[in-house]
Amino acid sequence: MKNILITGGAGFIGSHVVRLFVNKYTDYHIVNLDKLTYAGNLENLKDVENKSNYEFVKGDIVDGDFVEKLFDKYRFDGVIHLAAESHVDRSITNPMEFIFTNIVGTVNLLNAAKVLWSENPEGKRFYHISTDEVYGSLGENGIFTEETAYAPHSPYSASKASADHLVRAYHDTYGLPVVISNCSNNYGSYQFPEKLIPLFINNIKNNKPLPVYGKGINVRDWLFVEDHAAAIDIIFHKGKTGETYNIGGNNEWKNIDLIKKMCEIMDRKLGRKAGTSEKLITYVKDRAGHDLRYAIDSSKLQSELGWKPSLNFEEGLEKTIDWYLQNEKWLENVTSGDYKKYYEEQYGRQK
Ligand code: NAD
Ligand code: DAU
């Protein structure tokens, strides 16, 4: 039986990866290490929590001693590293959490893997999950490839870029068997409602203003989260050591067009008159350092490893909206307590 560590498995993407691995690889013992920050939620994993090949460990990757002991205890064969502070706006107001978790936390995991696998790295794998935001911002044309130079703009993307460089450095310097992927914007079930799509679904449902940053002209390339999890599975098992793979949906949307599409679908689903929800759109102060456009070229992953997105966006968006409308309790639970304070601080001052 292989021991696989998944970090950040109680978060949005991590919970989909844990679910996929626990159900598909019954001969793996999956250890989910998560600090359970505001973004981590064990409710995301209710359906797998009692499976015999799954174990949850609460802990902080910033604590190097703890990480070292964990590797010593479980003697992992593979690591899939998703734990991170992930929200750009929070990185603008509080960058230090991002430096600690995304950089120091990643190095703690690299050090522990390096020690454990020093004798025999054969068949071992350290998979670091990263973002397309490390490449910076595109103008109206162009696309990010694996060769695009790094040019991060936010503390979040700079911390992820720093972690990517360190992962590559551990490969080049110590021969650590690493692989990296950089993915575009994900959407789907269990995403914390601070990110655009679940935030706006929740606000439309509750007739609250939809705070569009700047003019709403920024472009993002959206990918259904289960397609990202499928790509992670393929890269973990078939990706070449030392390589980087871009993952994206080939699905660019200008924010304002996406928001209007969501309003249209929700008017229909909530039985509202067409045009009702669009009235909630409120233009607010732009995000500082707001990247204009992301677009990912995932042809390397498609041609070398045979991955492709399974859902078209209209289907994925409908499915996602249905999930949030049907999982009111989940939304209620995650938007109580600290969320209210965050919302007031982020949007109260944004008129
Ligand atoms: P998320 O914020 O939903 O989840 C992050 C998880 O990490 C949470 O469960 C949290 O409790 C845990 N965590 C945070 N700090 C920790 C610490 N110090 N120790 C242990 N656990 C800790 O994030 P997500 O959107 O699921 O993103 C997961 C990964 O994928 C991140 O590395 C992110 O950079 C990357 N990524 C995200 C997207 C996206 O669109 N969401 C796109 C590309 C890449
Ligand atoms: O590209 C991958 C990245 O996508 C991931 O690495 C990040 O973890 C993830 O958070 C996401 O980053 P973005 O900044 O692109 O996502 P967010 O949902 O915060 O914003 C999407 C777009 O919507 C962006 O142009 C900002 C805009 N926006 C966002 C919010 C929260 C608004 O206009 N209003 C809002 O209230």
Side-chain angles (χ1 to χ4, degrees), residues 260 263-264 267-268 272-281:
K260 286 184 177 164
C263 289
E264 180 196 312
D267 278 346
R268 173 163 44 80
R272 292 180 184 165
K273 198 167 140 250
T276 308
S277 300
E278 254 193 61
K279 297 200 181 98
L280 298 168
I281 290 175

Side-chain angles (χ1 to χ4, degrees), residues 22 30 32 38 91 95 111 125 146 174 199 208 229 249 267-268 284 299 330 347:
V22 167
I30 304 294
N32 169 15
Y38 77 92
S91 84
N111 282 334
R125 169 140 286 182
E146 288 82 359
Y174 308 111
L199 173 70
K208 280 174 71 177
D267 278 346
R268 173 163 44 80
V284 300
S299 55
W330 182 92
Y347 297 104

Side-chain angles (χ1 to χ4, degrees), residues 86 131-133 156 185 196 211 213 220 255 287 290 347:
S86 69
T131 169
D132 62 354
E133 299 200 8
Y156 163 67
N185 288 62
L196 182 77
Y213 296 163
R220 296 293 181 264
N255 288 344
R287 173 185 278 174
H290 197 171
Y347 297 104

Side-chain angles (χ1 to χ4, degrees), residues 157-184:
S157 53
S159 69
K160 292 295 289 186
S162 175
D164 292 13
H165 288 315
L166 285 155
V167 172
R168 285 195 190 97
Y170 272 61
H171 171 263
D172 297 349
T173 309
Y174 308 111
L176 197 75
V178 309
V179 67
I180 300 180
S181 60
N182 296 82
C183 189
S184 62

Side-chain angles (χ1 to χ4, degrees), residues 8-14 33-41 59-62 81-86 101 129-132 156 160 183-186 191 194-195 228:
F12 165 48
I13 302 169
L33 165 63
D34 199 294
K35 183 181 171 183
L36 299 183
T37 66
Y38 77 92
N41 183 358
D60 187 347
I61 58 168
V62 178
H81 174 37
L82 296 115
E85 287 292 338
S86 69
T101 290
I129 309 298
S130 191
T131 169
D132 62 354
Y156 163 67
K160 292 295 289 186
C183 189
S184 62
N185 288 62
N186 285 215
Q191 186 169 31
E194 63 188 352
K195 309 279 164 64
H228 187 188

Side-chain angles (χ1 to χ4, degrees), residues 38-320:
Y38 77 92
N41 183 358
L42 290 176
E43 271 188 58
N44 300 0
L45 288 166
K46 273 260 169 266
D47 52 329
V48 293
E49 69 184 6
N50 294 321
K51 300 262 175 163
S52 59
N53 63 335
Y54 171 71
E55 190 177 341
F56 173 70
V57 176
K58 186 171 188 296
D60 187 347
I61 58 168
V62 178
D63 180 345
D65 288 341
F66 161 76
V67 170
E68 204 181 303
K69 285 190 187 110
L70 192 80
F71 274 66
D72 201 35
K73 176 174 174 195
Y74 290 95
R75 314 208 65 80
F76 298 115
D77 301 289
V79 176
I80 305 178
H81 174 37
L82 296 115
E85 287 292 338
S86 69
H87 192 41
V88 174
D89 294 324
R90 289 186 191 251
S91 84
I92 295 168
T93 41
N94 185 14
M96 286 317 286
E97 285 295 321
F98 289 70
I99 307 305
F100 288 125
T101 290
N102 298 0
I103 306 177
V104 178
T106 300
V107 176
N108 283 336
L109 293 164
L110 288 168
N111 282 334
K114 171 175 161 281
V115 170
L116 181 65
W117 301 338
S118 60
E119 302 267 290
N120 185 14
E122 198 57 37
K124 307 292 191 285
R125 169 140 286 182
F126 188 106
Y127 181 6
H128 175 63
I129 309 298
S130 191
T131 169
D132 62 354
E133 299 200 8
V134 298
Y135 298 123
S137 181
L138 293 164
E140 282 187 9
N141 299 307
I143 194 156
F144 297 136
T145 72
E146 288 82 359
E147 273 70 52
T148 303
Y150 276 29
H153 295 124
S154 72
Y156 163 67
S157 53
S159 69
K160 292 295 289 186
S162 175
D164 292 13
H165 288 315
L166 285 155
V167 172
R168 285 195 190 97
Y170 272 61
H171 171 263
D172 297 349
T173 309
Y174 308 111
L176 197 75
V178 309
V179 67
I180 300 180
S181 60
N182 296 82
C183 189
S184 62
N185 288 62
N186 285 215
Y187 71 97
S189 54
Y190 300 110
Q191 186 169 31
F192 194 78
E194 63 188 352
K195 309 279 164 64
L196 182 77
I197 290 184
L199 173 70
F200 278 36
I201 294 173
N202 196 29
N203 282 13
I204 293 171
K205 193 181 103 191
N206 294 308
N207 277 307
K208 280 174 71 177
L210 305 176
V212 180
Y213 296 163
K215 296 193 173 108
I217 55 168
N218 306 69
V219 174
R220 296 293 181 264
D221 178 355
W222 294 94
L223 178 70
F224 190 56
V225 64
E226 292 174 38
D227 283 331
H228 187 188
I232 289 173
D233 178 12
I234 292 174
I235 294 168
F236 182 69
H237 289 99
K238 295 198 197 139
K240 281 202 203 114
T241 298
E243 292 286 315
T244 296
Y245 298 89
N246 280 353
I247 313 172
N250 196 16
N251 176 44
E252 290 180 50
W253 281 78
K254 201 179 267 185
N255 288 344
I256 193 64
D257 296 338
L258 167 62
I259 291 158
K260 286 184 177 164
K261 179 97 215 150
M262 288 168 62
C263 289
E264 180 196 312
I265 300 175
M266 295 232 4
D267 278 346
R268 173 163 44 80
K269 291 197 187 288
L270 295 170
R272 292 180 184 165
K273 198 167 140 250
T276 308
S277 300
E278 254 193 61
K279 297 200 181 98
L280 298 168
I281 290 175
T282 311
Y283 291 91
V284 300
K285 190 165 164 277
D286 208 354
R287 173 185 278 174
H290 197 171
D291 289 333
L292 178 66
R293 176 172 162 257
Y294 304 144
I296 273 273
D297 175 356
S298 62
S299 55
K300 177 178 172 183
L301 173 62
Q302 303 211 18
S303 64
E304 288 184 18
L305 303 185
W307 171 88
K308 62 175 186 336
S310 70
L311 271 190
N312 74 44
F313 187 58
E314 311 260 321
E315 247 178 296
L317 194 58
E318 293 259 354
K319 210 169 151 173
T320 300

